[in-house]
Amino acid sequence: FRMTVRRAANGALVVETSLSVTPGQDAYDLSIEATGVTAGESLLVTVVALQGGTVLFQSQPIPVTAQASSSSQAPQPVNVPLTYSGPGAEATEISVGPEAILLGPGGSGSFGVSVRNADGSEVPGVPVSWTTESSGVAGIDAQGTVSGVSTGRTRVTATIPTGLSASGWVYVLAGEGAYVKGG
């Protein structure tokens, strides 16, 4: 994250800093020490989430009140809503292929994902998170590689930061198997 703190009164820069976090958490503690700030002073904080040099999320300026570090009061958490602005922010469609994968227990296969804008052009570099409805049937990693665990079926879903998602199916069968597609 990159955090910028400015005085609310005149917009003067107080501090700009980078903070490293473990991705995927629901909440982060982004508390920092700011010198030259008076307890009770009104500040504006802007947070930008980066992946390498690519801006993924950013906030509007959030008003906060400075608190003395020697205060016995616990700091009041501030909710900072982040808006996704990275690759695929304007995407209108996501699709997963193939529609289904048939595996044996211990077998593996791969799903791909396509993200498109309103004009139909594909958007590269969009972060995708993968989930499976039943990890007891099949697991899926961050690259879309699925692994059969035990007999059954499960839906896997690819989701991009804007909330668009698409799904495919994994069928895990024990023993010899054959199927006919399309009839």
Side-chain angles (χ1 to χ4, degrees), residues 74-148:
Q76 291 298 315
V78 176
N79 189 17
V80 179
L82 298 174
T83 303
Y84 183 72
S85 58
E90 303 297 323
T92 58
E93 179 186 341
I94 178 175
S95 59
V96 167
E99 293 176 19
I101 293 178
L102 176 63
L103 302 171
S108 66
S110 292
F111 282 99
V113 65
S114 175
V115 179
R116 298 190 180 281
N117 284 330
D119 66 4
S121 62
E122 190 158 352
V123 183
V126 179
V128 176
S129 63
W130 290 92
T131 57
T132 179
E133 286 182 348
S134 177
S135 59
V137 173
I140 192 161
D141 68 15
Q143 290 71 43
T145 302
V146 66
S147 301

Side-chain angles (χ1 to χ4, degrees), residues 2-181:
R2 183 175 62 226
M3 185 175 359
T4 305
V5 179
R6 296 184 178 280
R7 288 191 162 74
N10 61 10
L13 181 65
V14 173
V15 66
E16 185 169 30
T17 188
S18 293
L19 303 161
S20 294
V21 298
T22 303
Q25 304 299 309
D26 290 332
Y28 297 100
D29 180 358
L30 302 178
S31 302
I32 61 167
E33 294 281 330
T35 58
V37 175
T38 308
E41 185 175 356
S42 295
L43 305 167
L44 295 173
V45 176
T46 304
V47 178
V48 176
L50 302 157
Q51 182 177 31
T54 302
V55 173
L56 296 181
F57 295 91
Q58 56 190 5
S59 74
Q60 296 296 319
I62 304 296
V64 298
T65 302
Q67 184 175 346
S69 59
S70 61
S71 172
S72 61
Q73 290 180 299
Q76 291 298 315
V78 176
N79 189 17
V80 179
L82 298 174
T83 303
Y84 183 72
S85 58
E90 303 297 323
T92 58
E93 179 186 341
I94 178 175
S95 59
V96 167
E99 293 176 19
I101 293 178
L102 176 63
L103 302 171
S108 66
S110 292
F111 282 99
V113 65
S114 175
V115 179
R116 298 190 180 281
N117 284 330
D119 66 4
S121 62
E122 190 158 352
V123 183
V126 179
V128 176
S129 63
W130 290 92
T131 57
T132 179
E133 286 182 348
S134 177
S135 59
V137 173
I140 192 161
D141 68 15
Q143 290 71 43
T145 302
V146 66
S147 301
V149 176
S150 66
T151 302
R153 72 178 178 136
T154 187
R155 182 190 322 253
V156 296
T157 302
T159 306
I160 64 173
T162 61
L164 287 175
S165 64
S167 298
W169 287 92
V170 178
Y171 298 91
V172 181
L173 303 174
E176 299 288 325
Y179 72 99
V180 177
K181 184 176 179 180

